[in-house]
Amino acid sequence: MCKKVLIVEESDGWYIFDSENGNTLQEGIGSRAECLKTAEGKGYEVPAMSEKGAFFADMDGNPLYVTKPIKSGSVELEYADEIPCLGFEICPVCKGPAFGRDAGGKNCYYCPSCGKEIDCVPPEEWIGEID
């Protein structure tokens, strides 16, 4: 199993942290790209990324990693401690995870990466109303 890490920008450069215990593994790296290259070279696993380069995170900001091996054939995500992340859809805008929530009386999936609400379902009392 690979060590799961976080990549974070600080005032004096980019850092790689162990996602389970928070220990600093590398510090003061010059750029995000350099950080990703360093993590790959050391065999670290970084959180999954959207097409726009945002790291996957849940609604509370906890990083999400791709489950390996994937058993279902579709995207499966897990937390650093290997607990599965359930109840998400892939956002059609940024390809990041979108999570269910009640927004203004509608049940929607909300993508924290791009701020979009998708697949909204109106409440039962709205269904069949005349516009």
Side-chain angles (χ1 to χ4, degrees):
M1 179 179 92
C2 296
K3 180 181 291 291
K4 292 179 178 159
V5 299
L6 297 172
I7 293 178
V8 178
E9 184 178 20
E10 299 286 347
S11 60
D12 61 341
W14 289 82
Y15 283 65
I16 300 175
F17 295 99
D18 184 315
S19 61
E20 285 193 66
N21 60 28
N23 291 341
T24 303
L25 301 173
Q26 298 269 248
E27 57 186 89
I29 299 172
S31 69
R32 180 180 176 179
E34 214 177 307
C35 229
L36 289 168
K37 186 176 179 180
T38 300
E40 181 182 348
K42 294 192 174 277
Y44 297 154
E45 183 178 353
V46 299
M49 287 189 282
S50 69
E51 288 182 350
K52 295 181 179 183
F55 290 117
F56 283 15
D58 67 8
M59 295 287 279
D60 295 324
N62 298 313
L64 297 169
Y65 303 83
V66 174
T67 302
K68 295 177 182 154
I70 294 176
K71 299 171 185 113
S72 69
S74 61
V75 176
E76 293 179 23
L77 299 174
E78 65 186 16
Y79 293 95
D81 58 4
E82 298 182 4
I83 293 175
C85 176
L86 306 172
F88 70 92
E89 296 286 329
I90 296 298
C91 175
V93 177
C94 72
K95 306 299 185 234
F99 300 92
R101 74 172 185 172
D102 181 15
K106 304 175 292 197
N107 289 318
C108 297
Y109 282 89
Y110 175 76
C111 177
S113 292
C114 66
K116 302 286 184 194
E117 290 181 343
I118 59 169
D119 294 339
C120 294
V121 177
E124 286 183 31
E125 61 269 15
W126 292 10
I127 297 175
E129 285 186 3
I130 298 174
D131 292 334

